[in-house]
Amino acid sequence: MIFLENEHLKASFSSKGAELQSLVSKATGANYLWDGNPEYWGKFSPVLFPVVGALKNGTYLFEGNEYKLPRHGFARDNEFKAEKISDTEAVFTLNQNEEALKVYPFNFTLKLHYKLIGTNLSCTYAVLNPGTNELLFSIGGHPAFAVPTNEKLNYNDYFLEFNKDENLTYYKINGDLIGDETDVIYMNNHSLPLTHQLFYKDALVFKTLKSDTISLKNTNNAHGLSFSFKDFPFFGIWAAKDADFVCLEPWCGIADGINHNQELKDKEGIIVLPAKGNWERTWSVTCF
């Protein structure tokens, strides 16, 4: 485990999956992150790499060969090399290895760089291509935030506030894949009330979200968080059935569509990184 701390926040991370596992306010003692109760969902904030979501039939095709990958890829289950840079910064690194190359025939370096500044925690995904061929990948975040953080409140006291969207058009999930059918949630004042029933049919998946900041607030006090995710073209919102959390998931990539031909090069949202190239995206959470 690695621990970061400043005057406002304390955070803990596991080298397995480079996973953020707690984010605690020093002023209130509240943990903004889900506690990982395995009765509902035994993770906290996994990184999704080298695919986001499920593959059609659990497989993809590349250069005439068929490969299998689990939902959300393998990075979340691998040990990263952990380096604590300072009291407020840490970097976790994962490189290709023999096991990874059997299911994902690409050379890569994946780094997660966490940094505390004031009441903000940022997470930067950096992907480097050390090879001589193109690197094809998707990547995304899956942080689960506690709802409620205060034992006097309940789930229905909370809502999500979108900084730009007035209504939400989402894609329905069809057997773990993205269907062609959409639906619309009509919001009042950019706000989506949280209910457990909202996620009974799986995640809400967005391809056309205008917002780049979503705030988690409640109707009883001024505490909450703002989640910022500029330049992530896809987004998911999810919770396990009747669990007291909400996942805010910024994605560069998305699960296969029901009509996908399974060719990795044709996968929606796939990123193509040239030889010796590098790529970065950052999401951050500000606690208040």
Side-chain angles (χ1 to χ4, degrees), residues 98-128:
E98 285 188 19
E99 288 303 308
L101 288 169
K102 292 176 183 177
V103 295
Y104 182 64
F106 299 93
N107 294 313
F108 69 88
T109 296
L110 169 63
K111 291 181 179 286
L112 271 68
H113 183 184
Y114 293 100
K115 183 187 295 187
L116 288 177
I117 300 178
T119 58
N120 178 276
L121 170 69
S122 64
C123 174
T124 297
Y125 301 133
V127 181
L128 296 85

Side-chain angles (χ1 to χ4, degrees), residues 31 43-44 68-70 128 147 152 161 179 184 189 196 206-207 218 224 242 263 282:
N31 184 4
K43 295 186 180 294
F44 306 84
K68 292 188 177 295
L69 279 176
L128 296 85
V147 181
K152 295 179 182 178
E161 185 177 86
V184 179
N189 197 27
H196 289 304
F206 304 99
K207 297 184 182 183
N218 70 80
D242 294 328
E263 289 283 352
T282 300

Side-chain angles (χ1 to χ4, degrees), residues 41 48 52-53 71-72 140-145 203-204 206 209 214 227 229 232 234-239 245-253 283:
W41 188 61
L48 317 181
V52 171
R71 182 185 178 109
H72 296 323
H142 203 306
F145 297 105
L204 304 177
F206 304 99
L209 207 61
I214 299 174
F227 186 79
F229 50 96
F232 287 83
F234 307 98
F235 202 87
I237 303 176
W238 174 79
F245 68 81
V246 63
C247 287
L248 302 179
E249 306 179 39
W251 300 333
C252 290
W283 58 258

Side-chain angles (χ1 to χ4, degrees), residues 6 35 57 68 77 103 173 180:
N6 66 9
D35 64 9
N57 299 323
K68 292 188 177 295
D77 296 316
V103 295
I173 293 176
D180 294 329

Side-chain angles (χ1 to χ4, degrees), residues 52-56 59 176-178 254-258 260 262 267:
V52 171
L55 297 171
K56 188 175 182 179
T59 63
D176 289 339
L177 303 180
I178 306 301
I254 195 169
D256 282 352
I258 55 175
H260 181 46
Q262 296 181 264
K267 183 172 173 57

